[in-house]
Amino acid sequence: MKTKKTYQITGMSCASCAARIDKVLNAQPGVCEATINYATASAQVVYDSDECSDQSLKTAVQNAGYDLLTDTGNDTNEEAEQAHAKRYQSLKTQTIGAVALAVPVMVISMWFSELTLMKYIVWILSTIVVLGFGRSFYVHAWKQLKHGSSNMDTLVAISTGIAYLFSVFNLLFPDFWLSRGVSPHLYFEAASMIIAFILLGRLLEERAKQNTSTAIKKLIGLQPKTVTIITESGERTVPIEKARIGDIIAVKPGERIAVDGTVTIGESYVDESMLSGEPVAVHKQTGEKVYAGTINQKGAFRFRTDKTGSDTMLAQIIRMVQDAQGSKAPVQKLVDKIAGIFVPVIIGIAVLSFIIWILFAPTEGFTHGLLAMVTVLIIACPCALGLATPTALIVGIGKGAEQGILIKDATSLEVARKIDAVVLDKTGTITESHPIVVNSLWSKGTEETGNILYSLERLSEHPLAEAVVNEWKNETAVPVTGFENIPGKGIKGTVDNETYYVGNSDLLIANGVYPDEELQQQADIWHKEAKTVIWFGHSTKAIAVIAITDQMKSTSKEAIRRLRKMGITVYMLTGDNEDTAREIAQKAAIGHYKSSVLPQDKALFIKQLQQEGKKVTMVGDGINDSAALAQADLSIAMGKGSDIAMDTAMITILSSDLMKIPETIRLSQLTVRTIHQNLFWAFIYNLIGVPIAAGILYPLNGFLLNPMIGGAAMAFSSVSVVANSLRLKGKKIQRKTEVPPAEKEVVPINEVEPINKENMKKNFKVEGMMCNNCRTHVEKALNSIDGVKAVVTLNPPVATVEFEKDEMPLEELQQVVSDKAGDYQLHE
């Protein structure tokens, strides 16, 4: 059975460490995919639990010189925070001590270097700095050497170790060089200041990295520790872990809700901004859903527990954000390859520069070559490269979570900026998905029968009945006998020996009831306005005609306007008739629409757009649009927090507000731009810094870089990359657009071309896939069948199979997958 877990890693000090652990874990038997995030010091591993275990992974990482925290229980995050805090405090102590002694070493070396006593004082102080406060560099470098590996600590240990030992030799045996006509220079200040600068850089880097993950810390902090349960003996406050499904929970004014549930008694307004990003409090009454982490305002109510622990909405969001922040963007693959070979290459360049100096500068070659070698080892920094992508992703994905935009992985965030076509489902996406009564016309003297209409509709299960019940909810119910649902037409029932009907006009006509001219004319007008019309009458007379519509969301038109301003073409697909579809398209100013579209046809339409070269986003509810979501380059669920939507789509908009779509694209643009900036400066730093450190400018102007300056530059490079990523926090994704007001725009409305249905296409759910390798195996197996084209997606786990000839039975497809891919199950 395949398992996916996230582990904390200890002992990493640079991007090369992350590359080393990545290589080790991916080489383990049973591991399908392992992803290491240096910025969060974590590993995401997908593995077959029959072939390996937590302990085998831990052992492999320990053998590489690091450690893997295999306890992934509820307290893991807290334990990891404590470990990081302890490491930070230790690093702070080392840095303060190193700086406090390195500064006197530098001052004495600059102004009192000729005094013999001072030389020995400098030696003692630098020994404390290098071998005391800088001891961790040598310990880690030795561990790496024992495992045949190297990292940033190796570079620091070699460079400062050479400078220190060379200085000790020159101090104790100066005659060895004087007899050869060479001045025995001391480099204690260089070794000390390098250690101090690098420790200071790591301290700042660690602090900055902690700031990048504030979003996830805020989310974790939303989880209450206790809950008030209603028992037979009264209210009882218990730890959150003891809450069970079905418990009745009491919520007082100002309290944070502890678990997910449904309101049973009372009403209030609840602040859900920390989940949805929406500032306006939401009114909650009997039957409404409430979520863990949200804050009750002035009212008090009770609710029944539906979900606890790791199943709550908040827990799912935290898990989703953590997974996304731990994932890798495609551009990171190149960076990982570079980081993996970076340290050996730098050591090679350093040794080569030393040799070249000796060969081409016989008099000062040894001294200058030694300085060049030390400086090259110091100035080279794989950390900046390793931090460039993950820090930007952590901030970007965290910023999205704070705004109610849940991004499943780094690839989704990178793809969003390339979108040039958005396909919108109508119900629940553009509209509210809550039909309401907007008009009604009654025959003269019949308004008092509203209580009969209410009594009939409250017994109906039709979605439109709820709209009628809500409209006439203040009426008093009367007894109804002989109630009957009439499929496709409506309902009927008897009140006071009179039979009443509620439904379409066919229902009334079939029972010999014909509407009068006034009611019919009004019904025709409402039909043209794309409203749903229902009739109410009894055995001899049409009493009323009622217009119901699904209202468009208040922000839909503005969101679509902003998408057009960004150069994105918007399409609407709906199963409604032509009149309704065109009416909604005109109200929302959508230039392209298609009516009477079946769910399976939406995926075909998206494929047609892709064949035209467009990058397409599908926006739907994440349930009946699964095929279209799977086909799209980017899938977005307007989920209102439904866990089905969160599992299906690449991005979930918790508030179901279309305004979040342009904000998502803007966030993607800003994040990817930040990644590119980080990578540019990290690469440029090394491309320019290493040759200068090697002495390339010396023949031109006599400039040779001081190792201390190299150490300061190296420390600055990592900090600058993280600081640049943190700038994302202050960026606004609610970008204003300079266009005329939406209501004054004139947008041509056109129905798109018919959907091409030449080939038969079906979607199958795939069980057992845990990583991209699994997905590739299933897709390759299906495409090996003659006359079959298949696209398999991991999120959602769906195989979209197109049959160019005759449709194949599920059993035959399953057999091929089992024979060629392994233990994966297809379901219709």
Side-chain angles (χ1 to χ4, degrees):
M1 188 180 78
K2 291 183 175 61
T3 303
K4 182 178 181 180
K5 286 187 178 181
T6 300
Y7 304 94
Q8 291 294 314
I9 302 172
T10 60
M12 287 199 300
S13 59
C14 70
S16 293
C17 299
R20 165 77 172 158
I21 299 171
D22 187 291
K23 186 177 180 181
V24 167
L25 286 176
N26 278 296
Q28 297 306 302
V31 172
C32 301
E33 190 174 38
T35 303
I36 312 303
N37 190 319
Y38 170 52
T40 58
S42 63
Q44 264 186 27
V45 186
V46 178
Y47 64 90
D48 190 331
S49 56
D50 294 331
E51 297 184 43
C52 69
S53 62
D54 289 348
Q55 188 56 47
S56 64
L57 296 175
K58 182 181 181 72
T59 302
V61 173
Q62 287 178 332
N63 290 339
Y66 309 92
D67 198 8
L68 192 75
L69 303 182
T70 54
D71 180 12
T72 55
N74 294 331
D75 298 329
T76 304
N77 288 320
E78 191 172 334
E79 290 175 9
E81 283 294 320
Q82 291 174 354
H84 289 154
K86 185 176 180 181
R87 182 176 183 275
Y88 179 80
Q89 190 58 45
S90 174
L91 194 56
K92 186 176 181 180
T93 302
Q94 292 172 3
T95 303
I96 293 173
V99 171
L101 296 184
V103 171
V105 168
M106 185 177 67
V107 171
I108 294 172
S109 298
M110 291 177 65
W111 284 288
F112 306 101
S113 59
E114 298 304 318
L115 301 176
T116 303
L117 178 61
M118 289 300 179
K119 290 180 181 180
Y120 283 94
I121 292 175
V122 165
W123 178 23
I124 294 170
L125 294 178
S126 66
T127 300
I128 297 173
V129 173
V130 175
L131 302 182
F133 298 117
R135 179 175 175 272
S136 60
F137 295 113
Y138 302 95
V139 171
H140 293 152
W142 174 246
K143 287 182 179 179
Q144 293 300 308
L145 181 62
K146 287 196 298 183
H147 294 99
S149 183
S150 58
N151 62 5
M152 189 63 204
D153 290 329
T154 307
L155 300 183
V156 176
I158 292 175
S159 57
T160 56
I162 289 174
Y164 175 79
L165 293 175
F166 185 65
S167 300
V168 172
F169 181 84
N170 290 354
L171 177 63
L172 299 178
F173 307 104
D175 293 338
F176 178 85
W177 298 109
L178 292 172
S179 62
R180 291 166 173 78
V182 178
S183 299
H185 295 290
L186 302 181
Y187 300 105
F188 288 124
E189 80 284 1
S192 300
M193 289 304 295
I194 287 168
I195 293 290
F197 274 129
I198 294 175
L199 285 174
L200 179 60
R202 289 194 175 176
L203 183 70
L204 296 174
E205 178 187 311
E206 191 71 23
R207 186 171 182 176
K209 283 197 303 185
Q210 289 176 358
N211 289 336
T212 63
S213 57
T214 53
I216 197 70
K217 291 176 184 175
K218 287 179 182 177
L219 287 171
I220 293 173
L222 295 178
Q223 296 176 306
K225 302 295 184 183
T226 60
V227 60
T228 303
I229 298 177
I230 304 298
T231 65
E232 293 180 356
S233 57
E235 296 184 359
R236 186 162 58 95
T237 301
V238 299
I240 186 66
E241 293 81 10
K242 292 188 177 181
R244 298 292 181 264
I245 294 174
D247 286 346
I248 301 300
I249 308 295
V251 183
K252 298 175 183 177
E255 281 189 345
R256 196 178 292 279
I257 295 169
V259 292
D260 291 1
T262 305
V263 178
T264 55
I265 299 175
E267 61 180 296
S268 181
Y269 282 87
V270 176
D271 179 1
E272 296 183 343
S273 60
M274 63 286 299
L275 295 184
S276 66
E278 296 300 308
V280 180
V282 182
H283 182 241
K284 300 292 183 180
Q285 55 188 357
T286 302
E288 297 276 351
K289 296 288 185 182
V290 292
Y291 302 102
T294 57
I295 301 174
N296 180 32
Q297 296 193 330
K298 295 181 179 180
F301 61 91
R302 295 179 180 182
F303 69 93
R304 182 184 63 255
T305 303
D306 295 335
K307 294 180 180 179
T308 63
S310 61
D311 294 327
T312 64
M313 163 76 64
L314 179 61
Q316 289 184 58
I317 292 172
I318 292 171
R319 188 162 58 248
M320 190 173 181
V321 174
Q322 286 176 327
D323 288 347
Q325 290 183 336
S327 64
K328 286 186 181 179
V331 70
Q332 184 68 16
K333 293 178 182 178
L334 173 63
V335 177
D336 289 344
K337 288 181 180 178
I338 294 172
I341 61 172
F342 189 88
V343 173
V345 168
I346 290 300
I347 292 175
I349 293 173
V351 173
L352 182 62
S353 62
F354 178 64
I355 294 172
I356 291 174
W357 270 103
I358 291 177
L359 292 177
F360 291 96
T363 55
E364 295 291 332
F366 186 89
T367 303
H368 287 172
L370 187 66
L371 279 176
M373 182 171 70
V374 169
T375 309
V376 167
L377 291 170
I378 284 299
I379 202 169
C381 182
C383 298
L385 287 172
L387 290 167
T389 301
T391 52
L393 288 175
I394 289 170
V395 176
I397 290 169
K399 188 177 182 69
E402 290 175 350
Q403 299 297 320
I405 302 169
L406 297 187
I407 299 162
K408 182 156 283 187
D409 54 34
T411 302
S412 305
L413 189 61
E414 190 167 344
V415 168
R417 70 188 180 96
K418 301 176 183 177
I419 295 302
D420 56 11
V422 172
V423 177
L424 302 174
D425 181 38
K426 180 182 77 71
T427 306
T429 302
I430 299 173
T431 64
E432 294 283 2
S433 190
H434 294 298
I436 60 170
V437 174
V438 289
N439 303 102
S440 63
L441 180 64
W442 295 74
S443 293
K444 292 181 180 179
T446 61
E447 289 85 352
E448 70 276 2
T449 57
N451 63 335
I452 298 175
L453 173 65
Y454 168 76
S455 301
L456 287 165
E457 286 287 60
R458 67 197 291 263
L459 300 176
S460 175
E461 297 178 355
H462 195 281
L464 295 180
E466 184 181 353
V468 176
V469 170
N470 288 334
E471 181 69 15
W472 280 276
K473 61 185 177 182
N474 293 325
E475 296 285 351
T476 302
V478 295
V480 177
T481 60
F483 179 82
E484 183 182 348
N485 274 303
I486 305 171
K489 293 185 178 181
I491 59 174
K492 72 174 184 177
T494 301
V495 177
D496 294 333
N497 297 319
E498 176 64 73
T499 301
Y500 290 87
Y501 303 92
V502 184
N504 56 31
S505 58
D506 291 342
L507 175 63
L508 269 65
I509 293 171
N511 287 278
V513 181
Y514 294 89
D516 62 39
E517 187 176 347
E518 182 186 5
L519 293 181
Q520 186 61 60
Q521 286 178 348
Q522 187 59 66
D524 292 340
I525 293 172
W526 288 338
H527 271 301
K528 291 179 181 178
E529 293 174 351
K531 296 172 183 175
T532 300
V533 175
I534 63 172
W535 292 84
F536 173 47
H538 56 52
S539 58
T540 60
K541 181 180 182 179
I543 299 173
V545 62
I546 301 160
I548 297 176
T549 188
D550 185 4
Q551 283 194 321
M552 192 169 70
K553 294 175 183 175
S554 59
T555 57
S556 292
K557 190 170 185 178
E558 175 63 16
I560 291 163
R561 181 175 71 96
R562 292 194 180 191
L563 288 170
R564 287 201 313 274
K565 179 62 179 175
M566 297 170 79
I568 296 170
T569 307
V570 182
Y571 300 83
M572 181 186 75
L573 301 184
T574 177
D576 284 335
N577 59 49
E578 161 67 19
D579 290 338
T580 301
R582 186 169 184 82
E583 181 72 16
I584 293 295
Q586 287 178 334
K587 286 182 178 179
I590 298 173
H592 308 275
Y593 73 92
K594 183 66 180 172
S595 61
S596 304
V597 178
L598 297 174
Q600 58 266 32
D601 295 335
K602 294 179 182 179
L604 291 175
F605 178 76
I606 290 172
K607 185 176 181 181
Q608 287 176 204
L609 292 179
Q610 291 170 330
Q611 289 171 344
E612 295 171 9
K614 295 183 180 295
K615 288 286 185 182
V616 186
T617 287
M618 173 64 196
V619 185
D621 61 12
I623 302 170
N624 59 359
D625 295 320
S626 59
L629 290 166
Q631 178 66 45
D633 298 287
L634 181 70
S635 55
I636 300 179
M638 310 296 282
K640 270 294 184 186
S642 84
D643 36 4
I644 295 177
M646 289 172 62
D647 289 340
T648 301
M650 299 163 73
I651 294 175
T652 300
I653 306 300
L654 290 178
S655 64
S656 292
D657 183 354
L658 268 182
M659 288 292 287
K660 297 294 182 182
I661 306 299
E663 290 178 15
T664 300
I665 295 171
R666 173 71 174 157
L667 178 63
S668 170
Q669 293 170 342
L670 290 171
T671 304
V672 173
R673 183 188 304 167
T674 301
I675 290 173
H676 290 167
Q677 290 171 349
N678 289 348
L679 289 174
F680 172 80
W681 289 113
F683 275 113
I684 286 297
Y685 165 80
N686 283 290
L687 287 174
I688 294 176
V690 171
I692 292 177
I696 197 172
L697 296 179
Y698 191 83
L700 301 176
N701 55 15
F703 178 78
L704 192 61
L705 189 65
N706 189 303
M708 289 187 295
I709 304 300
M714 190 280 288
F716 175 76
S717 68
S718 296
V719 176
S720 63
V721 163
V722 180
N724 189 48
S725 296
L726 288 171
R727 288 175 60 241
L728 262 176
K729 286 188 173 184
K731 297 286 186 180
K732 291 185 178 181
I733 58 176
Q734 298 89 353
R735 193 175 188 180
K736 294 183 178 180
T737 53
E738 300 298 329
V739 296
E743 58 270 14
K744 296 183 181 180
E745 284 190 287
V746 178
V747 179
I749 310 298
N750 301 298
E751 184 165 19
V752 295
E753 294 296 320
I755 297 171
N756 183 1
K757 302 182 183 179
E758 290 180 1
N759 298 333
M760 173 69 70
K761 180 177 285 191
K762 294 191 72 173
N763 291 286
F764 300 93
K765 184 177 179 181
V766 186
E767 288 186 359
M769 295 193 302
M770 293 294 292
C771 65
N772 193 53
N773 288 336
C774 303
R775 183 200 67 79
T776 303
H777 291 324
V778 176
E779 186 173 83
K780 187 175 180 180
L782 289 171
N783 281 305
S784 68
I785 304 171
D786 184 38
V788 169
K789 290 183 179 179
V791 176
V792 181
T793 58
L794 188 59
N795 292 303
V798 172
T800 304
V801 182
E802 186 175 350
F803 302 97
E804 297 179 348
K805 300 175 183 177
D806 295 330
E807 181 182 349
M808 291 181 63
L810 174 60
E811 293 76 16
E812 292 184 22
L813 296 174
Q814 180 63 66
Q815 187 62 48
V816 174
V817 170
S818 297
D819 292 344
K820 297 189 175 183
D823 188 21
Y824 303 101
Q825 299 297 317
L826 301 182
H827 300 282
E828 290 186 348

